[in-house]
């Protein structure tokens, strides 16, 4: 029974595609070898798979580069030579060097050199260009100076605020600081004794205020039961008749 005809199209199944490639590659290399032996032909075969793997066959062992050179010479082509690349780079460097020299010569008049050989109309153009450049430089300089002035003004305001706060704090604590400095410089022992007295006076004053408040609260609680509700208090007025007359 004969073999059926296979439709030539891409095999979608990756495994089947790899198997088919391997079988047909081996068959192609076999046919190439047979053709080279039977006909005494020089054949070179290079195959790259879908994964990038290279397979090759040459009718003459280890002579694939010579066969490729022969093909290029027949078609008037040649592979790039590293010596040619170096020569090309050298020519490019020489061209760039000449261009740099020309630019330097062109910039010399802007530095005030070689002005004797320049005609008057070119000098006028050079003057306008320099004036325009100076104007641009001055604008940029003024912009930078304005930014620096703004920064300095902002720092000045911050320092003034800090100074005002410091002066306010010193004004509020000046007496304590002066007495503290005087006590430390003259008699440290008396200064410590003074601090103890101030602390004792403060505590004693707070205790007296607390006792007065407790007495007032106690009196307020006793008034309703101990004082007659019909009894009214009246503020006393000063007796001006009994007071001695002011001396003239």
């Amino acid at each position: 029974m004969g073999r059926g005809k296979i439709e030539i199209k891409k095999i979608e199944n990756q495994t089947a595609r790899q198997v088919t490639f391997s079988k047909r590659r081996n068959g192609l290399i076999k046919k190439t070898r047979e053709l080279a032996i039977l006909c005494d032909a020089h054949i070179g075969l290079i195959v790259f798979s879908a994964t990038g793997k290279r397979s090759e066959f040459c009718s003459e062992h280890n002579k694939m580069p010579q066969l490729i050179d022969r093909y290029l010479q027949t078609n008037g082509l040649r592979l790039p030579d590293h010596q040619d690349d170096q020569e090309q780079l050298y020519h490019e460097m020489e061209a760039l060097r000449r261009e740099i020299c020309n630019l330097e010569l062109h910039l010399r008049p802007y530095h005030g050199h070689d002005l004797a050989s320049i005609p008057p109309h070119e000098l006028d153009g050079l003057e306008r260009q320099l004036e325009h450049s100076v104007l641009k430089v001055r604008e940029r300089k003024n912009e930078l100076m304005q930014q620096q002035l703004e920064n300095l003004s902002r720092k000045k305001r911050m320092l003034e605020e800090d100074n005002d706060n410091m002066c306010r704090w010193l004004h509020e604590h000046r007496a304590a600081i002066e007495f503290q400095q005087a006590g430390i410089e003259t008699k440290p022992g008396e200064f410590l004794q003074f601090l103890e007295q101030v602390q004792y006076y403060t505590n004693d004053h707070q205790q007296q205020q607390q006792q007065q408040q407790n007495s007032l609260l106690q009196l307020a609680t006793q008034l309703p039961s101990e004082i007659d509700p019909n009894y009214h208090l009246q503020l006393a007025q000063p007796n001006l008749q009994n007071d001695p007359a002011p001396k003239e």
Side-chain angles (χ1 to χ4, degrees):
M1 187 173 179
R3 192 173 181 181
K5 187 176 181 180
I6 300 175
E7 184 180 2
I8 304 300
K9 67 177 183 178
K10 181 179 178 181
I11 301 174
E12 299 297 335
N13 191 319
Q14 184 176 0
T15 304
R17 184 169 63 246
Q18 185 65 28
V19 172
T20 302
F21 173 78
S22 179
K23 290 181 178 180
R24 290 183 176 257
R25 179 195 58 190
N26 294 335
L28 179 61
I29 293 175
K30 180 180 178 181
K31 293 294 182 181
T32 304
R33 183 182 297 108
E34 291 176 355
L35 178 62
I37 295 172
L38 291 174
C39 302
D40 193 18
H42 296 168
I43 303 175
L45 177 64
I46 301 175
V47 181
F48 289 96
S49 65
T51 58
K53 184 178 180 181
R54 178 179 59 85
S55 301
E56 64 180 33
F57 170 80
C58 185
S59 59
E60 297 180 7
H61 187 62
N62 293 332
K63 289 188 177 181
M64 179 66 79
Q66 290 81 354
L67 189 62
I68 293 174
D69 290 339
R70 182 178 175 183
Y71 168 78
L72 293 174
Q73 291 176 2
T74 304
N75 292 295
L77 303 174
R78 64 188 182 92
L79 293 175
D81 191 2
H82 295 290
Q83 188 68 24
D84 297 337
D85 294 339
Q86 292 179 359
E87 292 179 357
Q88 183 179 0
L89 290 175
Y90 178 77
H91 291 306
E92 291 180 357
M93 290 174 60
E94 288 295 329
L96 291 175
R97 189 177 292 109
R98 288 192 298 271
E99 186 177 357
I100 290 173
C101 292
N102 293 330
L103 292 175
E104 289 179 351
L105 291 175
H106 182 69
L107 290 175
R108 286 182 63 83
Y110 291 93
H111 297 282
H113 304 295
D114 301 337
L115 298 177
S117 60
I118 300 178
H121 65 278
E122 292 184 4
L123 289 175
D124 293 337
L126 180 62
E127 182 180 5
R128 288 192 296 270
Q129 292 179 2
L130 291 175
E131 290 178 353
H132 181 72
S133 300
V134 169
L135 181 61
K136 292 293 184 182
V137 171
R138 287 177 179 173
E139 290 179 355
R140 179 57 180 167
K141 180 181 178 181
N142 293 331
E143 183 179 356
L144 294 176
M145 292 180 64
Q146 184 66 27
Q147 292 178 0
Q148 292 179 358
L149 288 175
E150 292 178 357
N151 294 332
L152 292 175
S153 299
R154 184 162 53 251
K155 291 181 180 179
K156 178 183 177 183
R157 289 194 298 270
M158 294 174 62
L159 292 175
E160 288 178 350
E161 292 178 358
D162 294 340
N163 190 21
D164 293 340
N165 295 331
M166 183 64 68
C167 292
R168 191 180 302 108
W169 186 87
L170 289 174
H171 181 73
E172 294 175 355
H173 301 79
R174 179 176 297 174
I177 292 175
E178 290 179 354
F179 187 82
Q180 182 179 1
Q181 291 178 351
I184 293 174
E185 292 176 356
T186 56
K187 297 179 179 180
E190 295 181 0
F191 176 70
L192 295 176
Q193 185 178 3
F194 170 76
L195 292 178
E196 294 177 357
Q197 292 177 359
V198 170
Q199 184 176 5
Y200 175 78
Y201 172 76
T202 304
N203 296 333
D204 189 25
H205 183 66
Q206 292 178 354
Q207 292 179 359
Q208 291 179 1
Q209 287 182 350
Q210 186 67 27
Q211 290 178 1
Q212 291 178 0
Q213 292 177 359
N214 294 334
S215 299
L216 291 175
L217 291 175
Q218 185 177 2
L219 180 61
T221 54
Q222 293 177 358
L223 282 175
S225 59
E226 296 178 359
I227 299 176
D228 188 3
N230 296 322
Y231 183 79
H232 298 281
L233 295 176
Q234 185 175 1
L235 294 177
Q237 296 181 356
N239 190 0
L240 299 179
Q241 295 178 359
N242 295 330
D243 292 340
K247 297 178 179 182
E248 296 181 355

